[in-house]
Amino acid sequence: MLVALGFAGTLVILRPGGGQFSGWALVWPALQLLANTAYQILSSRMAGKERPLTTQIYTSLVALSLSCMALPWVWQLPDSAALWLAAIAMGAGSAVGHLMLLKAYEKAEPATITPFLYSQIPCALLAGWLVYGHIPDQWAVLGMVVIALCGAASAWLSVREGK
């Protein structure tokens, strides 16, 4: 039920049926969902079996390899030092964040860590406002709240059942 409600929150954000919405609009988010889910499962399963730095290197190499396959069709060379700096900062921040997540999986159960992953939502909102000047409307905020509450409730139920 919580997964269905979380999906409903996603639909509130996307609002399918609008003039700019098409079925293809769900392809990339669905692929991102699959990739992120695979990463989270792999990361939590590797905790305690492999050093976090080793896992970070392997997952980064896989992501780099998969990303490079699209380069011939989508790559555009950044034309300013600011874009290069932003790309390097994003990569470094991502690497540090993933390494910290791997360290967290080493110390705690995934159900304990999951609620903290929802801190990405306000960070993305802040970045969207600072970088693009975008402020989500009330429907998008409602959808985000529904998704976060469903995820937190799911984590809470998992911890409760584990006791």
Side-chain angles (χ1 to χ4, degrees), residues 71-91:
L71 288 181
W73 295 278
V74 297
W75 174 253
Q76 293 179 359
L77 191 64
D79 59 354
S80 72
L83 286 176
W84 279 108
L85 184 60
I88 291 168
M90 187 171 56

Side-chain angles (χ1 to χ4, degrees), residues 16-37:
Q20 296 178 352
F21 186 84
S22 72
W24 286 105
L26 292 177
V27 172
W28 286 116
L31 290 174
Q32 288 177 318
L33 174 67
L34 288 172
N36 190 42
T37 301

Side-chain angles (χ1 to χ4, degrees), residues 78-108:
D79 59 354
S80 72
L83 286 176
W84 279 108
L85 184 60
I88 291 168
M90 187 171 56
S94 177
V96 169
H98 289 155
L99 188 57
M100 289 171 48
L101 179 65
L102 292 167
K103 293 293 279 182
Y105 279 133
E106 194 175 54
K107 307 283 184 197

Side-chain angles (χ1 to χ4, degrees), residues 32-81:
Q32 288 177 318
L33 174 67
L34 288 172
N36 190 42
T37 301
Y39 174 78
Q40 297 296 334
I41 291 170
L42 177 64
S43 296
S44 64
R45 296 247 169 110
M46 292 302 294
K49 296 178 184 160
E50 192 65 64
R51 291 180 29 219
L53 186 59
T54 304
T55 303
Q56 173 68 20
I57 290 169
Y58 285 145
T59 54
S60 295
L61 288 174
V62 168
L64 178 66
S65 300
L66 292 173
S67 298
C68 285
M69 286 193 275
L71 288 181
W73 295 278
V74 297
W75 174 253
Q76 293 179 359
L77 191 64
D79 59 354
S80 72

